[in-house]
Each structure stands twice: as C-alpha cells, then as structure tokens.
Amino acid sequence: MEGSESLNRTQSQFARQLTRFHSESQDSLVDYEEDEPRKSMEYELQLLEESVSGDEEALRKVKAMRPSFEDLYAKYHDERAKVLDWEKIHTPGDKIVAYKDLAAPESIAVDDMFGELAVLKLNGGLGTSMGCVGPKSVISVRNDSTFLDLCVKQIEEMNKEHGVDVPLILMNSFNTDDDTHKVIKKFRKAVKIDMFNQSQFPRVLKETLQPLPSDYSDSSEWYPPGHGDLYRSLESSGLLDELLEKKKKWLFISNIDNLGASVDTDILKHIYSMDDECEFVMEVTNKTRADVKGGTLIEYDGAIKLLEVAQVPKKHLEDFKSVNKFKVFNTNNLWVNLQAIKKKLRSGHMEMEVIENKKVLNDGRVIIQLEQAVGAAIQNFKAIGINVPRSRFLPVKKTSDLLLVMSNLYHLTAGELRMSDKRIFKDTPLVKLGDHFKKVKNFLSRFENVPDILGLDHLTVSGDVHFGRDVTLRGTVIIIANEGDRIDIPSGAILENKIVSGNLRILEH
C-alpha cells in the first residue's frame, strides 16, 4: 500500500512538473533556468495552495506560511554556495563573562526588573523518543510533577515574592498545541499563560528539492522549522506587541525540558547594569565529553555567532568536538530584549543560518527539513555570553537523565531542582542505560524505587536488569545481563565500584 501511494505521489509530482514545463514560453524558460530552484518552489507552492482552495482553514494556513517558507528556502539556496572559512573562526574572548564576575549593583530595584520580564518555554516537542504519547512537557519527572507543573510553580513563587505578574509563554508546534490547550486549564488561576504556534512548513524531497505534500491532509508531510522560528511567529501572533504594550522589556527563553533553566536574579541584575549596551544574552557552560555536539559561540568576521555541528565541514568535525579548542557550549537559555527584537524584525534583516536536517522516510526517500536555531539570532544584536554553572543545564532527553532528576541527587524547592549538599562529587554522574530502559514505562517498571546515587560517579546498565528497594550505588558500577539472562539487584544492596555480570558474579572494579 505504501509503495502504491509513493508511486502515485511521484507520478503526480512528475505531472505537475510537466504541466509547468508546457506552460512556460521559451523566453520565460531562459529566465527560469537562472533561478530554477526558487521559481520551481514558488510554482509548487502555488499548486499546493490551489489544491486546498476548497478548505478555508487549510488555505489560510498555506497562505500564511508561504512568505516565510519561501524566504527560508531562498536563504537556504544562497547559503549552499557559501563555504565556512575555518581560519576565520576565533573564540569570543571578552564577549563571554564568567558567572562569578557578574555585576550586581545595589541601586537596581529587583522587583522592577521582574516586573519587566516575561518567560518563554519552547514547547514544540513530543515525548515519543522516551516512549510517551503527547507533548514532552506533560511527562512526570519528579513527585508526579511534569515539566509544565514545575515551570508554573517557579513563576507562581516568583510572582508572589516580588509582587509582579510575570507571564508564562509557550511556543507550541502543531504537534503539541491541542493537547497543551487541554492541560493548561488547571493552571489558569496560578499564572497568566499565553501561547502561540510556530510555523508549519512542508518537508522537501532531497532529490528534487520540491515540497513533499501535495495537499494539507497528512501532517507527517509537514514539520515545525526549529525554535529559530520563534521571532517571526511571536510577532505574527501579536504577542510581541502585546508584551511591549504591557511594558515588558526582557524575554527569558529556554527549553521546557531543561530543569535547570529558572529565572536567575544575578543574571538579570547584570543585564540591567549594562543599560543599552546589551540586547541579547546566551548562557553557555563548560563542555565535557558528553557535550561534543553542542553548538558553541564563536567570533567570525568581527561578529559573535553560534556555530552548530550541522554547519561544520566534515574535515573539521574533530576540531569542533575538541574540549580544548571550543571550551563552552550553548545551553539554549537566552535573554533577549523585546524592543530590540521588534526593531530588527521591522528592518527585515534578521540574519540566521539555515540548517539542513535530513531524514529518511519509510519508503526510502530522503527528505530535508530547513530549520534555524533560536540562538543563531545572536549575531543581530549587541550580545554577550555568560559562562554559567552546569546546574543551569539539566535537560531530560533520555531515561538516564530521568533517573538523575528523580533521585536523591536533587531536592525540590518552589519548582526548582537543587543539587544536594550531600553530593560527594562536583559533577552529576555519567549514566548509561540500555534499550530495556529506553521507554519511560519500562524504565519505571525496573525500579521498585530510585536508588541512592549521592556517591555515584558512573553507572552503566545493559540487558534485563531489575532493582529492588533501597539500593545504593557508589563510585563506578557496571551491570550487564547477557541475552537470555536476568539480573535482580536485591533490596538493600550496596554496590560500590562493582561489575555485575550475567551470572551475578560481583567483581571489584
């Protein structure tokens, strides 16, 4: 069935291209060849628009997305001809301020600062990678509280403390919007919540550089174009103007699954101490071996920019991953001046690199998604980086991260996770869980309760492994159940620097 649908679609696309060919005069064909990809895309989008003309809502959405997508597509083709000059890349130097060196002038009225703040969480992702259904923000991560619960609690407590009304803004995608609208009803009395959707763009076939969808019926043929879409979508939603009318000055942006991304008073004070000399702040933190693919701040042609791994030429990948050359990476915690955003959008010159994200469909065809990173906008503003403690980067991407945030490694206060004072090591443990733990449901079924990991440095678990109650893990612990074997760690067990194999032999590590 899939093969038949794929063939029909290919034939349909060929017919459209043939129709276009016959409709062009010889004179226009000469012009067309000079700019074939863009004109071809414009033609395909026009056909797409015509295909949904009988559906008023679909037609509205297609018309709304066309200018932005055509602009992104044109920029993509312009950038394909450009080559990154590796020799021009330098570390930003004094453009990155150490957290310990932040200015904290006493003359600044703290309550007034908070009164001019809005908080935005990127809420476009699903929980499918962890085996969950619906928005990732509704996964329970601590004491039955979800990411969204913790965000709301933080802002609620902050508003009470400073006597202000900081709103929570959620940027949803078409994948998360409906479910999020249902969930937030319970928070309406706690915090003011505003929402808007990022764009919905058509996936593009790699081979032909033509849009994959021929209509609006199949959502899998469309995609949300990365969090870099925030700026134009915030403006088109009307929320940007609304925030400015309410005298909001700064927008704190972060991923909703980063449990370390709370509003930081010291950073806010430093921003205000710089007056008009700062419009954009990116929080970075020291890179470890686990962060080699994270984007980093660079200086290029005199401007501070974000360099993502997708932009790096293959021959320089090892340089990019080097902890010695690029010492920090982007946490995606950003502070942006709202008036500066408005001014830059009004100028029509918001420079942001386009990232080509390749994916393979079930039928074997390769598609690309044209995306932009929200941090890439840093080059358009008077900007600095702040090298923050690792505690401000606590993302939950996998169940191994979930194990950390559910454990006694942290305690929960006013919606914020704080590292326990009893922690022996400076950094969080390195945890690697095998495929048996990949989905949240399976992960939870393998622990009678979460082990004590205050003294843990490194944990690797592979195979069919189950943990009893009140297990303690210290130092380096490796547990490997061979295929067909099962390992049960008994309740009350203390494993310190141990290797546990499939036949339950316990060896000194």
Side-chain angles (χ1 to χ4, degrees), residues 19 32 127 134 157 159 162 169 201 238 309 345 353 383 392 410 431:
T19 300
Y32 176 81
E157 293 297 322
N159 284 341
H162 298 284
I169 303 169
F201 286 168
V309 66
L345 290 173
E353 289 74 22
R392 290 194 57 75
Y410 297 94
V431 176

Side-chain angles (χ1 to χ4, degrees), residues 184-217:
I184 66 163
K185 291 178 181 178
K186 67 177 181 177
F187 302 121
R188 288 300 187 187
K189 292 182 180 180
V191 169
K192 176 175 171 50
I193 300 179
D194 292 309
M195 296 187 292
F196 67 99
N197 268 18
Q198 63 185 119
S199 300
Q200 181 173 345
F201 286 168
R203 287 175 154 182
V204 176
L205 289 163
K206 175 67 176 174
E207 187 175 353
T208 63
L209 291 181
Q210 299 302 303
L212 174 63
S214 57
D215 56 38
Y216 209 74
S217 61

Side-chain angles (χ1 to χ4, degrees), residues 341-374:
I341 294 175
K342 182 69 176 178
K343 182 179 178 182
K344 183 56 66 172
L345 290 173
R346 191 183 296 139
S347 74
H349 298 290
M350 177 80 87
E351 292 298 323
M352 297 169 68
E353 289 74 22
V354 181
I355 298 169
E356 180 187 84
N357 186 2
K358 296 179 184 176
K359 294 181 180 289
V360 180
L361 302 176
N362 292 335
D363 60 14
R365 288 180 299 168
V366 179
I367 58 97
I368 57 174
Q369 297 180 175
L370 304 181
E371 303 176 1
Q372 291 175 307
V374 65

Side-chain angles (χ1 to χ4, degrees), residues 229-477:
D229 186 59
L230 181 151
Y231 305 102
R232 56 178 167 256
S233 291
L234 181 66
E235 183 185 43
S236 63
S237 71
L239 269 175
L240 177 56
D241 287 334
E242 185 180 321
L243 290 169
L244 289 169
E245 287 170 7
K246 292 180 178 179
K247 308 301 181 185
K248 298 300 181 182
K249 188 174 181 180
W250 284 91
L251 185 65
F252 175 53
I253 303 165
S254 62
N255 297 338
I256 200 162
D257 65 359
N258 180 6
L259 295 178
S262 58
V263 173
D264 186 283
T265 305
D266 291 334
I267 293 176
L268 200 52
K269 283 183 177 179
H270 184 81
I271 290 171
Y272 272 79
S273 75
M274 297 184 71
D275 293 322
D276 296 330
E277 293 305 308
C278 181
E279 300 171 329
F280 191 111
V281 174
M282 176 181 289
E283 295 184 35
V284 297
T285 196
N286 291 339
K287 185 189 288 188
T288 69
R289 287 174 296 172
D291 313 307
V292 293
K293 292 185 178 181
T296 190
L297 276 183
I298 61 168
E299 190 171 324
Y300 191 85
D301 284 341
I304 187 169
K305 291 189 175 186
L306 175 65
L307 178 64
E308 297 279 9
V309 66
Q311 300 168 255
V312 178
K314 288 184 179 179
K315 65 179 180 180
H316 294 297
L317 272 177
E318 292 308 311
D319 278 348
F320 177 80
K321 294 177 181 179
S322 169
V323 178
N324 296 321
K325 183 167 184 176
F326 298 106
K327 300 180 185 298
V328 298
F329 71 97
N330 171 29
T331 65
N332 222 35
N333 299 346
L334 309 171
W335 305 73
V336 193
N337 184 284
L338 288 163
Q339 193 62 57
I341 294 175
K342 182 69 176 178
K343 182 179 178 182
K344 183 56 66 172
L345 290 173
R346 191 183 296 139
S347 74
H349 298 290
M350 177 80 87
E351 292 298 323
M352 297 169 68
E353 289 74 22
V354 181
I355 298 169
E356 180 187 84
N357 186 2
K358 296 179 184 176
K359 294 181 180 289
V360 180
L361 302 176
N362 292 335
D363 60 14
R365 288 180 299 168
V366 179
I367 58 97
I368 57 174
Q369 297 180 175
L370 304 181
E371 303 176 1
Q372 291 175 307
V374 65
I378 191 171
Q379 62 193 287
N380 299 280
F381 303 97
K382 291 182 281 188
I384 62 168
I386 297 180
N387 191 346
V388 299
R390 185 74 182 203
S391 58
R392 290 194 57 75
F393 183 70
L394 188 58
V396 179
K397 304 293 184 185
K398 300 175 289 188
T399 53
S400 53
D401 303 320
L402 195 57
L403 177 64
L404 294 177
V405 301
M406 292 176 69
S407 74
N408 61 343
L409 202 61
Y410 297 94
H411 59 87
L412 185 63
T413 304
E416 293 186 39
L417 288 183
R418 303 287 178 86
M419 179 76 77
S420 171
D421 294 335
K422 298 178 182 179
R423 169 69 177 160
I424 297 172
F425 300 99
K426 180 181 178 182
D427 298 321
T428 56
L430 177 62
V431 176
K432 298 180 180 179
L433 301 179
D435 288 344
H436 286 72
F437 294 78
K438 189 174 183 179
K439 295 182 178 180
V440 172
K441 183 179 179 181
N442 295 340
F443 162 83
L444 294 173
S445 71
R446 292 177 178 276
F447 294 94
E448 288 194 32
N449 66 352
V450 179
D452 176 343
I453 61 171
L454 280 173
L456 182 67
D457 181 40
H458 176 187
L459 172 67
T460 294
V461 182
S462 178
D464 187 7
V465 179
H466 295 257
F467 292 81
R469 296 188 64 81
D470 303 326
V471 172
T472 300
L473 305 174
R474 298 173 184 160
T476 296
V477 177

